[in-house]
C-alpha cells in the first residue's frame, strides 16, 4: 500500500464528555468511535486513548503515521471564558486568537506526547458539528443551524456552507441559551445526570404544555429564536443544581428527587419545555430561511439530537430539505474536526464527500467466548430467516454483528430486537433488560420501502433522527375522554397493533432501513416481513441502564447472562440464554452501572 | 512571585471583560469569528 499523504486524527469531547476519535486517511473516513465503549464508563471524557488505538488498528497504521491532530474545540478560548466568567467579547476573543495554543498545555499534552511529529489544530466547536454533518450529507450548499449546549462560549451558531466554504453569519455568544434551559428543566425533573434530556423528550407526549408561559419568565426571547436566561446559569454541575429553584419559582412545581414518583405536574412540565424548545428552534429556522434564502438546512449540535424537534422542523417544510446528522451531537465532534481540516486542503468549489457507510465506523465484535459454546443453537438456512422466525414466535434477541455504530443510538449492529405486535412486549422487554418499567415506548425500525404504509412521513430517517406519526388508519379509536385519563391508563389503553413502539400521541421515533445503508439489519426485517407481513421490528440498544452499549462479542455474552433475553446472536452464531444467574445476582450486576444512570 | 501577578492579571481581565460583556438580553449577533481559524502550529 502506498504511504498515505494525509492521516488526520480528529479528537473531541476530551476533558468534557463523550470523548471520541476519528481517522481520515487521504480524505477517506476509515474509522471512528467513542471512548466510553472501551472504558465502559458512560459519556467518559478522558483522553480517548483506546478509541484512538482502535481507529489506528482498523486503518493498519501506527501513531507515527498520523500527520495531523484536529481538536473539536478551542480550549484557550473556553478557558478564558471560564476564568473570567464572562460571555465571549472582543477582549477574550482577541486574547484567544493571539495566545499560543500551548497555553492549554494540560489539554493537549497527552496527544502531543503520543504524536510528537504531528501538526495540531483547534476547530471552533460548532463548526466541527457543521462540517461533520455537511460533508456526510447529500447537499452541496445549505444553511446551517447549530444549537448546542455550549461550544467555547456560544450556545448557537448559524450561517451558510457552500461546497464546504463556511460563512459564519450569526451567533448567540453566551452559555445560558436554549440548550442550557432544557438541561436546567431536566435537572429540575430529577434527571440530573449528564445526557438525560432524551428522557424529558420521551416523557413530553404524555403531558400537556401548560407551563410554557411560566418558563418564558426565566428568559429573554425574541421573534428570531434568540434566547438567553435572565440569570447567569452555567453548565457546571453545582451552578446548575443551585439554579433548579428558579424553575420551581417560575412554575410553582416542586423539583423532583431522583427516585420520587413522576406526578402529572412533572409530566406537564416536560411537555412544556419540549414545546418551548420546538417553538424556539422553529423561530430560528424561519429567521435563517428568510435571512439566507437557502433551500437546504443542516440542523446540528447537541440540541439537534432532539429528534422530535427535528421531525417537526422537517414536517413544517420551512426549508425544502433538512439533514440531521446521527453524530450531530458530541459523539461525532472529532469526526467533524478532522473533516474540517481535510476540507481546508480541497480546492475551492469542490465538495469533500465523506462516505460514512451507515456510521458503522467502529470495529468488529471479535469471536464468541468459548464459555458460550455449550449454549450454541444450531440452525440451517440463513441466519436472518432463522432469527426472524424466532422473533416472530415472541423471542427477544440480542444482536452483536459487524462493525459497531458511532453515535448515541444502536443502529442495528449492537441491538436488541423484538416483535412490536407481541402483547405486553414493552414491559416484558423493559423487565427483561432493565428490571424496571418504563413509560417510553421503544423505537421501531421500518423497511424504508414500507414506511409510507404505516407512518405519515415516507422521508428517510436512517439514524432514528426524526419522529413521524402513525397513519390514522392504523390507529385504534380512542374514547372521547381519553385525554382526561390518568397517565398509566393512557399508556395501557390499546392504541395500535404495534403498541410497544408508539407513543400515546401516536408519534414514533423511527429508523428507516435502506438495503444500501443498513444491509444486514434490512435483511433481518425483510425476513421478518416475509413471515409476518409486518415490516417493523423493535430496535433498542444492547446495554443495561447506565451502561454504555456493548462493543465486543464477549461483552455481549456477559450482558446477555445478566438479562432475561431469550437468544443472542454473535457474528454468525446463535446462543440461547443458559439462565445461570439468579435474579438477585443479575440485580447486583446491574447495580454497578446505576451510579452513572 | 508569579502567582500574585497572575491573580492581579486575572482580576484585571475579569473587570475589563465585565465591562465589554454583551448587554443582558438574548438575540442573534453578527458573528465576528473567522471560520477558517484552526490555529495550526
Ligand atoms: Fe457540541
Amino acid at each position: 500500500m502506498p504511504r498515505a499523504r494525509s492521516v488526520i486524527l480528529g479528537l473531541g469531547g476530551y476533558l468534557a464528555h463523550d470523548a471520541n476519535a476519528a481517522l481520515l486517511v487521504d480524505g477517506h473516513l476509515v474509522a471512528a468511535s467513542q471512548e466510553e465503549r472501551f472504558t465502559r464508563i458512560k459519556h467518559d471524557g478522558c483522553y480517548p486513548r483506546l478509541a484512538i488505538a482502535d481507529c489506528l488498528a482498523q486503518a493498519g497504521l501506527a501513531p507515527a503515521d498520523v500527520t495531523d491532530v484536529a481538536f473539536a474545540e478551542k480550549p484557550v478560548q473556553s478557558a478564558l471564558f471560564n476564568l473570567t466568567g464572562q460571555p465571549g467579547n472582543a477582549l477574550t476573543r482577541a486574547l484567544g486568537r493571539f495566545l499560543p495554543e500551548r497555553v492549554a498545555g494540560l489539554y493537549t499534552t497527552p496527544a502531543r506526547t503520543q504524536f510528537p511529529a504531528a501538526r495540531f489544530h483547534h476547530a471552533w466547536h460548532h463548526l466541527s458539528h457543521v462540517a461533520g454533518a455537511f460533508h456526510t450529507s447529500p447537499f452541496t450548499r445549505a444553511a446551517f443551524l447549530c444549537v448546542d449546549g455550549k461550544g467555547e462560549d456560544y450556545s448557537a451558531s448559524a450561517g451558510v456552507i457552500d461546497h464546504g466554504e463556511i460563512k459564519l453569519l450569526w451567533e448567540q455568544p453566551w452559555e445560558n441559551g436554549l440548550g442550557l434551559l432544557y438541561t436546567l428543566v431536566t435537572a429540575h425533573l430529577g434527571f440530573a445526570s449528564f445526557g438525560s434530556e432524551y428522557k424529558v423528550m420521551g416523557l413530553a407526549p404524555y403531558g400537556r404544555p401548560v407551563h410554557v408561559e411560566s418558563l418564558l419568565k426565566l428568559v429573554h426571547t425574541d421573534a428570531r429564536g434568540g434566547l438567553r436566561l435572565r440569570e447567569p446559569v452555567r453548565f457546571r454541575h453545582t451552578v446548575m443544581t443551585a439554579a433548579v429553584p428558579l424553575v420551581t419559582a417560575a412554575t410553582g412545581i416542586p423539583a423532583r428527587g431522583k427516585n420520587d414518583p413522576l406526578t402529572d405536574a412533572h409530566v406537564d412540565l416536560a411537555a412544556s419545555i419540549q414545546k418551548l424548545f420546538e417553538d424556539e428552534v422553529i423561530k430560528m429556522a424561519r429567521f435563517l430561511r428568510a435571512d439566507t434564502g437557502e433551500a437546504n438546512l443542516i440542523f446540528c449540535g447537541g440540541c439537534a439530537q432532539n429528534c422530535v424537534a427535528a421531525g417537526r422542523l422537517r414536517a413544517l417544510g420551512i426549508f425544502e430539505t433538512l439533514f440531521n446528522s446521527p453524530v450531530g451531537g458530541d459523539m461525532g465532534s472529532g469526526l467533524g474536526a478532522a473533516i474540517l481540516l481535510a476540507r481546508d486542503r480541497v480546492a475551492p468549489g469542490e465538495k469533500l464527500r465523506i462516505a460514512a457507510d451507515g456510521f458503522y465506523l467502529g470495529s468488529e465484535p471479535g469471536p464468541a467466548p468459548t464459555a458460550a459454546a455449550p449454549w450454541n443453537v444450531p440452525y440451517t438456512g440463513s441466519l436472518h430467516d432463522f432469527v426472524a422466525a424466532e422473533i416472530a414466535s415472541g423471542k427477544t434477541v440480542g444482536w452483536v454483528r459487524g462493525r459497531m455504530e458511532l453515535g448515541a443510538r444502536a443502529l442495528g449492529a449492537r441491538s436488541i430486537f423484538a416483535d412490536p405486535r407481541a402483547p405486553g412486549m414493552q414491559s416484558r422487554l423493559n423487565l427483561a433488560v432493565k428490571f424496571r418499567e418504563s413509560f417510553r415506548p421503544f423505537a421501531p425500525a421500518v423497511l424504508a420501502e414500507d414506511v409510507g404504509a404505516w407512518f405519515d412521513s415516507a422521508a428517510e430517517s436512517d439514524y432514528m433522527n426524526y419522529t413521524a406519526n402513525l397513519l390514522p388508519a392504523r390507529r385504534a379509536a380512542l374514547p372521547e375522554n381519553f385525554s382526561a385519563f390518568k397517565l398509566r391508563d393512557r399508556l395501557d389503553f390499546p392504541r395500535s397493533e404495534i403498541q410497544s413502539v408508539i407513543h400515546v400521541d401516536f408519534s414514533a421515533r423511527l429508523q428507516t432501513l435502506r438495503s444500501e445503508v443498513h444491509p444486514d439489519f434490512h435483511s433481518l426485517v425483510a425476513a421478518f416481513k416475509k413471515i409476518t407481513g409486518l415490516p417493523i421490528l423493535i430496535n433498542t440498544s444492547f446495554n443495561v441502564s447506565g451502561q454504555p452499549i456493548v462493543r465486543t462479542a464477549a461483552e455481549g455474552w456477559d450482558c446477555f447472562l445478566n438479562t432475561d433475553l431469550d437468544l443472542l446472536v454473535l457474528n454468525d452464531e446463535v446462543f440461547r440464554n443458559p439462565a445461570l444467574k439468579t435474579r438477585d445476582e443479575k440485580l447486583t450486576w446491574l447495580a454497578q452501572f446505576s451510579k452513572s444512570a | 512571585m508569579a502567582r500574585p501577578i497572575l491573580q492581579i492579571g486575572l482580576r484585571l481581565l475579569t473587570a475589563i471583560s465585565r465591562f465589554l460583556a454583551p448587554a443582558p438580553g438574548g438575540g442573534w449577533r453578527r458573528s465576528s469569528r473567522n471560520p477558517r481559524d484552526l490555529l495550526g502550529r
Side-chain angles (χ1 to χ4, degrees):
Chain A
M1 196 175 133
R3 220 180 137 73
R5 286 167 296 131
S6 153
V7 178
I8 302 175
L9 177 69
L11 300 178
Y14 161 52
L15 286 188
H17 54 81
D18 294 311
N20 60 87
L23 199 64
L24 227 57
V25 179
D26 288 334
H28 296 282
L29 177 56
V30 176
S33 55
Q34 296 137 251
E35 188 69 2
E36 63 158 31
R37 305 287 166 88
F38 297 88
T39 62
R40 312 305 299 155
I41 299 167
K42 215 169 181 180
H43 302 298
D44 202 347
C46 66
Y47 179 66
R49 196 173 297 282
L50 299 168
I52 292 170
D54 190 62
C55 286
L56 288 171
Q58 287 193 67
L61 295 172
D65 296 319
V66 172
T67 56
D68 298 88
V69 177
F71 281 97
E73 45 261 317
K74 291 185 180 292
V76 174
Q77 189 69 68
S78 285
L80 280 169
F81 171 58
N82 287 336
L83 282 171
T84 62
Q86 294 299 321
N89 58 55
L91 179 69
T92 51
R93 218 169 283 148
L95 278 172
R97 181 77 185 79
F98 292 112
L99 279 176
E101 49 171 308
R102 280 188 177 281
V103 170
L106 172 71
Y107 188 86
T108 53
T109 298
R112 286 185 189 275
T113 311
Q114 194 177 5
F115 306 102
R119 288 175 296 263
F120 280 73
H121 313 266
H122 293 272
W124 288 109
H125 181 69
H126 285 181
L127 298 190
S128 320
H129 287 319
V130 172
F134 176 77
H135 291 278
T136 53
S137 83
F139 304 149
T140 49
R141 66 176 289 152
F144 64 82
L145 174 61
C146 178
V147 189
D148 208 25
K150 148 181 178 170
E152 292 84 28
D153 36 359
Y154 302 86
S155 56
S157 303
V160 173
I161 180 163
D162 181 1
H163 291 84
E165 194 61 48
I166 296 174
K167 257 192 255 149
L168 189 46
L169 298 173
W170 302 96
E171 60 201 18
Q172 299 201 28
W174 35 75
E175 177 175 0
N176 54 344
L178 185 59
L180 189 140
L181 178 66
Y182 205 108
T183 302
L184 179 60
V185 176
T186 301
H188 177 273
L189 287 171
F191 308 110
S193 62
F194 178 84
S196 297
E197 289 80 2
Y198 75 96
K199 295 179 184 168
V200 175
M201 181 185 80
L203 194 56
Y206 303 94
R208 305 158 188 86
V210 291
H211 302 293
V212 175
E213 289 304 317
S214 314
L215 287 173
L216 283 172
K217 286 188 284 191
L218 292 170
V219 298
H220 298 280
T221 48
D222 62 28
R224 309 195 294 187
L227 184 146
R228 189 179 179 193
L229 270 79
R230 292 174 188 278
E231 299 295 325
V233 186
R234 300 174 61 186
F235 272 104
R236 193 170 293 172
H237 186 75
T238 46
V239 181
M240 191 70 84
T241 311
V244 161
L246 294 174
V247 181
T248 312
T251 60
I253 300 168
R256 174 178 167 264
K258 194 179 164 200
N259 297 313
D260 296 353
L262 276 163
T263 63
D264 281 352
H266 289 133
V267 181
D268 288 346
L269 183 57
S272 306
I273 184 62
Q274 178 65 24
K275 170 82 165 51
L276 185 158
F277 177 84
E278 289 171 25
D279 290 349
E280 293 300 318
V281 168
I282 288 163
K283 284 197 277 179
M284 290 183 192
R286 283 196 208 284
F287 159 59
L288 200 57
R289 170 73 199 223
D291 185 64
T292 65
E294 293 294 327
N296 307 318
L297 179 68
I298 297 281
F299 181 40
C300 60
C303 296
Q305 300 275 82
N306 190 309
C307 57
V308 181
R312 203 171 144 213
L313 204 53
R314 183 163 75 171
L316 281 172
I318 300 165
F319 285 82
E320 273 118 77
T321 343
L322 182 67
F323 184 79
N324 177 17
S325 167
V327 291
D330 282 352
M331 287 152 179
S333 56
L335 172 69
I339 291 174
L340 197 62
L341 181 63
R343 149 67 223 160
D344 237 26
R345 296 166 182 191
V346 172
E350 238 176 87
K351 183 193 175 190
L352 173 69
R353 281 179 199 280
I354 300 288
D357 295 333
F359 287 90
Y360 299 113
L361 296 166
S363 44
E364 296 273 343
T370 46
W375 289 278
N376 187 295
V377 180
Y379 62 90
T380 51
S382 94
L383 170 75
H384 296 98
D385 287 338
F386 175 73
V387 174
E390 293 290 325
I391 296 172
S393 74
K395 299 267 176 41
T396 52
V397 179
W399 181 272
V400 179
R401 242 172 88 80
R403 295 183 69 185
M404 178 177 66
E405 50 278 75
L406 179 71
R409 303 158 190 152
L411 301 173
R414 305 289 184 275
S415 285
I416 291 169
F417 301 133
D419 185 345
R421 300 167 309 169
M425 187 51 93
Q426 184 176 334
S427 62
R428 210 186 111 197
L429 205 50
N430 273 317
L431 292 173
V433 183
K434 321 261 156 136
F435 298 92
R436 61 176 158 83
E437 287 278 10
S438 169
F439 52 85
R440 283 191 310 276
F442 292 103
V446 191
L447 296 179
E449 53 270 33
D450 293 316
V451 67
W454 284 85
F455 294 95
D456 66 356
S457 169
E460 58 76 22
S461 179
D462 290 340
Y463 310 111
M464 282 186 216
N465 32 6
Y466 305 96
T467 47
N469 301 303
L470 192 68
L471 287 177
R474 300 278 184 186
R475 302 178 186 182
L478 297 181
E480 236 164 64
N481 59 342
F482 182 70
S483 63
F485 280 25
K486 281 256 169 268
L487 174 61
R488 186 75 251 174
D489 299 329
R490 278 185 284 152
L491 279 179
D492 292 341
F493 192 88
R495 304 180 304 275
S496 82
E497 192 190 332
I498 49 172
Q499 181 96 344
S500 51
V501 290
I502 303 294
H503 276 278
V504 75
D505 62 353
F506 296 108
S507 66
R509 175 187 186 169
L510 55 95
Q511 180 186 11
T512 55
L513 302 176
R514 297 190 279 160
S515 54
E516 63 272 32
V517 181
H518 325 86
D520 193 50
F521 196 4
H522 185 278
S523 301
L524 179 68
V525 181
F528 183 74
K529 183 191 170 189
K530 219 164 49 188
I531 299 164
T532 62
L534 182 73
I536 305 172
L537 278 186
I538 292 175
N539 171 22
T540 185
S541 56
F542 193 171
N543 60 333
V544 297
S545 179
Q547 178 198 37
I549 300 176
V550 302
R551 180 175 64 89
T552 63
E555 285 164 14
W557 176 252
D558 193 34
C559 188
F560 181 57
L561 290 181
N562 287 288
T563 66
D564 293 333
L565 292 171
D566 299 311
L567 292 174
L568 174 66
V569 173
L570 299 176
N571 304 306
D572 294 328
E573 295 177 284
V574 182
F575 301 89
R576 68 183 168 79
N577 199 325
L580 295 171
K581 297 201 175 186
T582 65
R583 188 183 153 78
D584 280 348
E585 285 170 328
K586 289 175 189 172
L587 287 173
T588 307
W589 184 81
L590 191 73
Q592 67 178 304
F593 305 107
S594 63
K595 289 185 290 290
S596 56
Chain B
M1 189 61 211
R3 218 184 152 83
I5 296 175
L6 211 70
Q7 272 176 353
I8 292 168
L10 185 61
R11 210 166 287 166
L12 203 67
L13 184 64
T14 309
I16 303 171
S17 287
R18 199 161 291 152
F19 183 68
L20 290 172
W28 290 99
R29 313 261 160 139
R30 283 279 173 196
S31 176
S32 56
R33 283 176 289 168
N34 172 10
R36 300 192 74 99
D37 168 20
L38 285 166
L39 273 183
R41 180 166 74 194

